[in-house]
Amino acid sequence: MVDKCFHGPDYCQYLLALNAAVEAARSGKHGKGFAIVAQEVRHLATRCASAALEASELLENSVEKVSEGTRVAEKNSDVLREIEMGITTLNGIVADIATACMEQAQSIGHVNSGLEKINAVTMSNTSNSEETSVAAETLAVQASHVRRIVERFTLRDDQEEKQHVFDEQDIQPWIRIRD
């Protein structure tokens, strides 16, 4: 269609120049100036045809380049859509990682709280162990004193009574003697 637009007018000019040359030939001597104009119109028609052909080629090249540009734009559009989907997927993964990190931080907080409680219980146990150790040592000392006191007592044979005398100092720390 574009080709007809360019080649239609130059074809008409060429026919017009040919018609003018025929009329100039018929007019003889009087048509000499008319023949010169006809020849110039024919040259103009040839140059127009050449320009029309060049314009047609340029237009075809432009159409091909526009088509190629359209294909490249569509391909880029597809790539950009893939990138967008990748970014959306990546955003979801990052959100999942952030959620997991928050959950881990909470879990670590719970673990730390548990460790603090264990530490407090351990310190309490250590303190209790020290107190128990001191109490055990005190009991051992007291048991030793009681054993020494009890060893002074003797049991009767055949219902005989043996008396044992002990000092008030031996039992003073544990037993209060009434006066």
Side-chain angles (χ1 to χ4, degrees):
M1 170 124 182
V2 172
D3 198 27
K4 288 181 183 177
C5 287
F6 284 127
H7 293 297
D10 58 323
Y11 181 69
C12 289
Q13 285 177 347
Y14 186 75
L15 286 179
L16 181 63
L18 188 60
N19 191 21
V22 170
E23 289 299 323
R26 262 198 220 165
S27 299
K29 193 176 179 185
H30 299 293
K32 193 174 185 182
F34 199 54
I36 292 172
V37 170
Q39 186 178 5
E40 288 301 318
V41 169
R42 191 178 314 128
H43 287 298
L44 179 65
T46 304
R47 285 192 304 254
C48 284
S50 174
L53 182 62
E54 186 179 327
S56 178
E57 288 173 357
L58 288 173
L59 189 60
E60 286 177 18
N61 286 340
S62 295
V63 168
E64 287 176 15
K65 288 183 180 184
V66 166
S67 295
E68 180 64 25
T70 301
R71 282 190 296 272
V72 168
E74 287 173 354
K75 186 177 179 181
N76 287 342
S77 177
D78 292 341
V79 168
L80 289 174
R81 274 192 220 103
E82 289 177 17
I83 290 171
E84 180 184 16
M85 287 189 298
I87 289 172
T88 302
T89 302
L90 184 62
N91 284 340
I93 291 170
V94 168
D96 290 345
I97 290 171
T99 301
C101 286
M102 288 174 47
E103 289 173 358
Q104 285 180 352
Q106 288 175 346
S107 295
I108 289 170
H110 292 306
V111 168
N112 283 339
S113 176
L115 289 175
E116 287 173 3
K117 289 178 183 176
I118 289 171
N119 190 30
V121 169
T122 301
M123 289 179 147
S124 176
N125 286 345
T126 301
S127 175
N128 289 341
S129 293
E130 288 173 1
E131 290 173 8
T132 303
S133 176
V134 169
E137 286 177 14
T138 303
L139 282 175
V141 168
Q142 290 176 354
S144 173
H145 285 314
V146 169
R147 190 174 350 130
R148 278 186 279 151
I149 292 171
V150 170
E151 286 175 354
R152 292 185 185 167
F153 290 102
T154 56
L155 294 176
R156 277 192 283 156
D157 286 337
D158 298 332
Q159 300 292 332
E160 275 184 39
E161 192 174 320
K162 292 185 180 177
Q163 287 194 357
H164 179 72
V165 179
F166 52 91
D167 294 334
E168 194 175 309
Q169 265 182 333
D170 291 337
I171 60 170
Q172 179 94 14
W174 301 280
I175 301 173
R176 202 179 262 181
I177 301 176
R178 293 186 188 168
D179 294 323

